[in-house]
Amino acid sequence: MEEEKKQPFLQVKNVTKRFGSVEALRGVDLTVYTGEILAIVGDNGAGKTTLIKTLSGVLRPDSGEIMIEGKIYKELNPRLALDLGISTVYQDLSLVNCRDIATNIFLGREPVRHKFFVDKRRMVVEAQEFLQQLDMDIPEIHAEVGQLSGGQRQGVAVARAIRFGGKLLIFDEPTAAMGVQESAAVLSLIRQLGQKGYAVILISHNMYEVFELAQHISVMRQGKVVSTVSTSDVTPSDVVALITGAGEIPN
Amino acid sequence: MERKLLKTLQSKHFSQILLLLILLVMGIVLSFLSPYFLTWSNFYNILDQTSVDIILAIGMAFVISSGGIDLSIGSVLAYSGIMMAFAMKAGIPVPLAVALGILAGMFIGLCNGLLISRLHLNPLVTTLGFMSIARGFALILTNSSPIFGFPNAFKFIGSGRVGPVNVPIIIALVIVIISYILLNKTKWGYYTLALGGNEEALRRAGVATHKYRTSIYIFCAMMAAIAGMITVARLNSADPLAGWMVETDAIAAVVLGGTSLSGGRGSIVGAVLACFVLGMLDNGLILMAIPAYYQKLFCGLIIIIALVATELRNRKEHRNFG
């Protein structure tokens, strides 16, 4: 019963992407459901980041389809992806280091006064409130992002994605540079997002994180999703075996 | 101690404060060296001479803040001036002729911008090409000799006065105020700085980065065309060789004013102050009967020093963020 209620928010069908002679994606299939956290795991170079970049519109796939809420797209662009409700925390964070925190959180979506002037005061107030809500430790709201620690910078990137998050939130290794406390805060945030009804994609190398948060795990190897399993059906060592290609799908 | 010094050096307003101090020291030194320096008419002269430099530097400040550069401004200045001159000689009314000249200049900016933003051509080489193209046009159209004699309404732009103030100073002041607001208070300014800071991040935030980048080159060319208008009106002559090498002065003023050569940081106030420093230096050299060529030498040195400083700063930041 429960399973039937869930609608796929996004379906990827046979998506390919080449970079010169390198086949980064070799026909990827993936389904993401609303209200569910899907973990994508795989070795370095398996194509995880390339895949999510096609979903966020940063990269154009060479072939294949992306179906979002029943509509088929051959390719997306960042604007379209955002408008369709896909927000992404990129691995490189995509922050403008020489600008302050509020400016980064509102980048591309600055509130304006009199149609013309960026409402900086409102941006600062809202950014501060929002970061507090998220329990993120930001010492000085006017600081340039470049002056923050790695974890704090990730916090800003996560805050930006969630602040304007539509329906699908993608996290590409969101806690890689974070300390224990910060990553605990972000992980509980991701769990809450799943419970609130967002579709969530989490890319992670951390099996503990994956098993703690995700309902399903898609394993990528050499540019393909080789299997998708329910977290409750497998053990971390099964997943590691799938990543390295040592094991096959347990039935 | 060292940290504190470094912090002051990297402070947002450090360049501006330093420039004010330099202006003050230069003013004191020059007033001792020359009895003519500290006169109202000389001060006014500096202000008037500097107005064109300020307008050029502001256009350049936007381009450099966005991580680009525009070497074509001097040629656009001459080319726009000549288009205006031709239009007026053909009997076209002054406001329309001015508009045509400015649009002609903006067209060069559009070409620069489209090639740089759409085809990702190197801005240095692209604008170098248009520097030569616009200068070539100016020389071909005039057969390399200046055009003289314009209507009084036009000459008013260069040498007229509103009350006690020269028109070029008023134009420069208006442009400074508008540009300050544009860079610091509008989306356009925010995106200019974001383009310089991290273009890909801005694109991923859903912004049509190429449109903004193109518009910045158009804006810069428009500033060069306005500078051309003032130059022609002031001298009552449209010289195809006008604005020779002004790009170095503009670049020097912009980087001296605290705009980062690698983009992402820009200061209008700094650029204006730096124009005054360079203008005062020019003025002082003339008063002391030293050839003004030394000013060019100084500008070149500033650019090289700023480049080195930017490089060192970037290295330090890279070390911080690994």
Side-chain angles (χ1 to χ4, degrees):
Chain A
M1 273 299 282
E2 288 261 327
E3 287 296 308
E4 278 173 4
K5 266 192 215 163
K6 285 187 174 164
Q7 295 292 316
F9 170 74
L10 177 143
Q11 270 179 298
V12 176
K13 284 178 190 162
N14 204 22
V15 160
T16 65
K17 177 74 187 172
R18 294 183 80 97
F19 297 106
S21 61
V22 180
E23 271 190 287
L25 300 179
R26 302 191 300 163
V28 170
D29 297 298
L30 189 78
T31 308
V32 188
Y33 292 94
T34 300
E36 187 182 278
I37 301 174
L38 171 73
I40 300 180
V41 298
D43 221 338
N44 292 331
K48 307 185 294 289
T49 296
T50 306
L51 173 62
I52 65 105
K53 278 185 178 170
T54 64
L55 302 183
S56 62
V58 169
L59 294 174
R60 294 176 179 181
D62 296 331
S63 67
E65 285 174 355
I66 299 168
M67 194 159 86
I68 297 166
E69 294 190 311
K71 271 189 84 174
I72 292 172
Y73 299 89
K74 283 280 170 202
E75 62 179 54
L76 301 168
N77 60 53
R79 173 86 266 159
L80 179 59
L82 287 167
D83 290 345
L84 291 171
I86 301 173
S87 282
T88 310
V89 179
Y90 295 95
Q91 205 173 7
D92 66 9
L93 305 183
S94 288
L95 298 171
V96 185
N97 282 338
C98 54
R99 302 293 273 161
D100 60 284
I101 294 167
T103 302
N104 268 284
I105 289 181
F106 286 88
L107 188 68
R109 285 183 263 215
E110 296 79 1
V112 286
R113 277 181 299 136
H114 312 299
K115 290 190 175 177
F116 197 65
F117 301 104
V118 173
D119 195 344
K120 185 64 184 283
R121 197 175 301 160
R122 192 175 133 198
M123 274 163 55
V124 169
V125 170
E126 285 187 18
Q128 200 154 22
E129 280 175 9
F130 190 62
L131 287 167
Q132 265 167 12
Q133 266 178 42
L134 298 185
D135 230 358
M136 279 182 196
D137 163 45
I138 300 293
E140 161 62 84
I141 191 76
H142 294 287
E144 285 180 11
V145 164
Q147 293 166 345
L148 303 178
S149 74
Q152 288 166 339
R153 281 155 42 77
Q154 263 182 335
V156 174
V158 169
R160 175 172 66 192
I162 297 175
R163 176 71 178 74
F164 296 102
K167 294 165 181 169
L168 169 63
L169 290 161
I170 302 175
F171 297 89
D172 193 353
E173 304 200 28
T175 60
M178 286 184 172
V180 176
Q181 204 178 343
E182 285 166 318
S183 53
V186 168
L187 294 179
S188 86
L189 209 65
I190 292 174
R191 183 183 294 116
Q192 285 167 30
L193 291 167
Q195 286 161 358
K196 276 183 193 161
Y198 288 97
V200 177
I201 295 178
L202 171 69
I203 294 183
S204 180
H205 279 294
N206 185 328
M207 282 301 146
Y208 168 78
E209 265 180 34
V210 167
F211 275 79
E212 191 74 358
L213 294 177
Q215 281 88 53
H216 285 97
I217 304 171
S218 285
V219 181
M220 287 191 77
R221 193 165 69 229
Q222 292 169 357
K224 276 186 161 176
V225 173
V226 290
S227 74
T228 298
V229 294
S230 278
T231 316
S232 50
D233 297 344
V234 291
T235 66
S237 55
D238 292 338
V239 175
V240 171
L242 284 167
I243 291 171
T244 55
E248 283 312 313
I249 311 150
N251 259 328
Chain B
M1 180 63 196
E2 195 190 314
R3 260 186 95 122
K4 201 169 178 187
L5 187 72
L6 207 73
K7 212 164 185 181
T8 319
L9 281 170
Q10 291 185 330
S11 130
K12 247 179 166 174
H13 302 291
F14 175 74
S15 305
Q16 285 92 307
I17 295 161
L18 186 71
L19 283 171
L20 272 176
L21 285 175
I22 291 173
L23 272 177
L24 206 69
V25 171
M26 273 176 78
I28 292 166
V29 170
L30 284 172
S31 59
F32 276 111
L33 289 174
S34 165
Y36 303 105
F37 180 77
L38 211 60
T39 55
W40 175 247
S41 72
N42 188 50
F43 174 72
Y44 199 78
N45 189 23
I46 294 177
L47 210 59
D48 191 46
Q49 291 299 318
T50 312
S51 52
V52 167
D53 303 334
I54 287 174
I55 293 168
L56 289 167
I58 280 176
M60 189 66 83
F62 276 86
V63 173
I64 293 182
S65 302
S66 75
I69 194 131
D70 190 347
L71 299 184
S72 67
I73 57 170
S75 304
V76 170
L77 181 156
Y79 162 76
S80 292
I82 276 157
M83 295 310 270
M84 278 173 214
F86 271 118
M88 281 182 287
K89 288 289 180 194
I92 293 171
V94 171
L96 196 61
V98 165
L100 280 172
I102 291 176
L103 281 174
M106 287 165 78
F107 179 73
I108 304 275
L110 175 73
C111 296
N112 275 327
L114 284 177
L115 289 170
I116 292 163
S117 67
R118 288 286 187 173
L119 293 183
H120 301 284
L121 299 189
N122 180 315
L124 195 78
V125 185
T126 308
T127 58
L128 183 75
F130 276 101
M131 167 180 165
S132 199
I133 290 170
R135 186 69 72 186
F137 264 129
L139 287 164
I140 293 163
L141 289 170
T142 56
N143 207 6
S144 84
S145 51
I147 304 167
F148 298 99
F150 302 111
N152 284 331
F154 183 69
K155 284 189 284 187
F156 180 79
I157 296 170
S159 46
R161 282 171 175 238
V162 177
V165 190
N166 286 7
V167 174
I169 297 175
I170 295 170
I171 296 175
L173 187 68
V174 170
I175 288 176
V176 168
I177 293 167
I178 292 174
S179 305
Y180 179 84
I181 293 169
L182 277 175
L183 186 64
N184 297 298
K185 308 284 176 197
T186 69
K187 273 196 180 193
W188 193 65
Y190 271 63
Y191 294 165
T192 298
L193 295 170
L195 275 174
N198 188 345
E199 179 172 5
E200 181 61 13
L202 189 64
R203 186 176 84 87
R204 289 179 187 179
V207 176
T209 48
H210 52 89
K211 284 184 190 158
Y212 281 92
R213 193 173 285 292
T214 306
S215 71
I216 292 163
Y217 282 95
I218 295 175
F219 177 81
C220 182
M222 184 170 94
M223 293 300 114
I226 290 172
M229 167 187 80
I230 294 171
T231 306
V232 174
R234 180 183 278 158
L235 302 173
N236 194 19
S237 147
D239 185 344
L241 292 177
W244 191 262
M245 278 189 63
V246 290
E247 55 284 340
T248 44
D249 299 40
I251 295 168
V254 167
V255 295
L256 196 59
T259 296
S260 162
L261 264 178
S262 57
R265 287 169 220 272
S267 169
I268 298 296
V269 177
V272 172
L273 287 174
C275 282
F276 281 127
V277 168
L278 295 179
M280 203 186 267
L281 185 73
D282 227 2
N283 182 265
L285 292 174
I286 292 165
L287 288 180
M288 289 186 292
I290 298 170
Y293 312 126
Y294 283 92
Q295 202 251 16
K296 283 276 175 248
L297 197 89
F298 183 62
C299 282
L301 276 176
I302 290 170
I303 293 172
I304 298 299
I305 292 167
L307 261 174
V308 172
T310 310
E311 175 63 24
L312 292 180
R313 185 177 184 159
N314 283 350
R315 279 189 193 174
K316 193 181 165 298
E317 286 191 1
H318 277 296
R319 222 177 299 148
N320 282 354
F321 306 127

